[in-house]
Structure formats: C-alpha cells, structure tokens
Amino acid sequence: MVSTALLGGTGHTQEVKKRVDPKYPAILKQAGIEGEVHLKVRVDEQGKVANVEVVKSSREEFTNATMEAVRQWEFTPATDNGKPVTAEVTVPFKFTLGADSYVSGSEEVFQLKENVLKILRGEMTADVNSFIGHEAYVVVGNKLEHLKGLLADKRKSGMFVEGKSSTAEMSRLITDDSHTSAYLMLKTRPGAGKGHRFHTIVFMQSPAGEWKLVTWHVSQ
C-alpha cells in the first residue's frame, strides 16, 4: 500500500486535480522492504508540475516510483490576490506492505545464499568460485571492482571479505516471475563490536540452467 498527503508549501492551499499513484517497486515488495519518500513539488501557474526535488528518501527505487507518478499530477493553481502564481508543496509518501507480500525461490536458489556467506567468510571452494560469473563486479562504498580479481588480491580482498566470524542477521531472497534471475538482500555483522553491512546481490540463470552471481553492492 502507498499512502500520501499534501503538506504545507508556498501560496494558498492546493488540491490535486489529477493524481497518479506510484507503483510499489516489485523487488522491494517481494523482499519485504517498506520505506518513505518526501518530495518538494513546484507547481506552475497552470497547475502543472514544473519541477520535483527529493527532500528525503529511504530507497532509490521508491524515489524513482514516486517521481515518475508525481510528474503526471495536476493541481489547482495557487493564487496571490486572485492571480495564479507558481508555488511549492511537499508531498510525503509511505510504502507499507500488505498481506500479499511474498518470497519465492527454488532449493537451488536458496543455496546461493550459502555460497555468498562462504565468500564473506573466505571459504573459497571450487564450487563457490564456479558460481561467480566471469564478468561479475562488486561495488564497495564508491569503488567498483571485478569480483574475481578482488577476491584473488589478498590486499584488496580485506575490504570485502569479512572473515570466519561473519554472521547473517537478516536476509531476503526472491526470484522474478520467470525464475531466471534472483535477488539477495543480506544484513551481516563482520564480527563482535563491528557495524552492520548491507548487501544487495543479483544472480542470473544461464541457458544451461546454472546460476551465476553477476553484481554485488555493499554498503554500511
């Protein structure tokens, strides 16, 4: 469910004449992720949306969904001494899940999570190495690295591999409708007294039916 309400802005109180509701991003809905976005909307003298800015947002996917929808809105123009004027209004959105959210995946897909945890713990067996795609890359902070090259470089791998004390405190694994791609969202703690890390990992299934890791994004 997506809920919204207009907050105060410049000019007289405005009403929405045409409203297009944002779509809940499918990946986040299936992953059980809720969030919110606040947008600042500039409305011209005709009541059309002239500009949209993000005030705050919990996820980029929610930002994209709300901005796409709000750009299609139409308002009653604000007035000053009876004349239409340009005005701004803040629009908050809240994305909350209903009972229809779900997680899906085959037994093979769920094994992908175990392989990811082995990588984080430095347990690079032949089976684990084989499921990493040749062109797979990882983003750690603002650095983009070739994943296999990173893991092979002991100096660099230290910024990525968490060690044997790494634990997964929360995870969500989903597949798309065609079951040819999978998404793992993982929250880990590298060790006692250390902060959490958040991982978003994408897998693709080859024509031969083999699952390969293709992208991995890490943030703290």
Side-chain angles (χ1 to χ4, degrees), residues 116-123 157-168 188-191 194 197:
V116 165
L117 292 175
K118 287 180 180 179
I119 292 175
L120 290 174
R121 292 168 183 157
E123 302 170 2
S157 64
M159 70 178 185
F160 177 68
V161 175
E162 298 180 353
K164 295 187 180 298
S165 59
S166 175
T167 57
T188 63
R189 184 184 291 275
K194 296 183 179 180
R197 279 184 168 184

Side-chain angles (χ1 to χ4, degrees), residues 196-207:
H196 291 103
R197 279 184 168 184
F198 300 89
H199 309 259
T200 303
I201 306 161
V202 179
F203 308 90
M204 299 293 292
Q205 191 175 38
S206 70

Side-chain angles (χ1 to χ4, degrees), residues 19-38:
R19 181 191 301 268
V20 176
D21 291 329
K23 296 180 180 179
Y24 205 124
I27 291 177
L28 300 187
K29 184 176 182 180
Q30 293 172 350
I33 296 176
E34 299 179 333
E36 64 177 323
V37 178
H38 285 208

Side-chain angles (χ1 to χ4, degrees), residues 25-96:
I27 291 177
L28 300 187
K29 184 176 182 180
Q30 293 172 350
I33 296 176
E34 299 179 333
E36 64 177 323
V37 178
H38 285 208
L39 300 179
K40 180 186 291 185
V41 182
R42 182 157 56 88
V43 183
D44 66 19
E45 296 89 339
Q46 286 75 45
K48 303 290 187 181
V49 174
N51 189 55
V52 183
E53 296 180 7
V54 180
V55 178
K56 71 174 183 178
S57 174
S58 58
R59 299 279 302 203
E60 182 180 359
E61 294 90 341
F62 290 140
T63 299
N64 294 338
T66 54
M67 292 187 75
E68 180 181 355
V70 167
R71 287 192 177 105
Q72 303 175 66
W73 286 19
E74 295 179 7
F75 295 77
T76 55
T79 58
D80 185 12
N81 293 324
K83 295 182 179 181
V85 294
T86 298
E88 289 184 345
V89 62
T90 299
V91 187
F93 293 86
K94 187 176 290 291
F95 292 79
T96 55

Side-chain angles (χ1 to χ4, degrees), residues 129-184:
N129 190 62
S130 67
F131 102 110
I132 301 174
H134 291 297
E135 301 301 322
Y137 66 87
V138 59
V139 180
V140 183
N142 60 355
K143 294 183 178 180
L144 177 67
E145 299 277 355
H146 182 261
L147 182 54
K148 284 195 172 183
L150 174 67
L151 293 172
D153 187 329
K154 291 185 178 181
R155 181 178 59 86
K156 287 186 176 181
S157 64
M159 70 178 185
F160 177 68
V161 175
E162 298 180 353
K164 295 187 180 298
S165 59
S166 175
T167 57
E169 298 190 352
M170 182 182 71
S171 66
R172 185 75 68 168
L173 181 64
I174 60 174
T175 60
D176 65 359
D177 293 339
S178 64
H179 294 278
T180 57
S181 59
Y183 310 85
L184 174 63

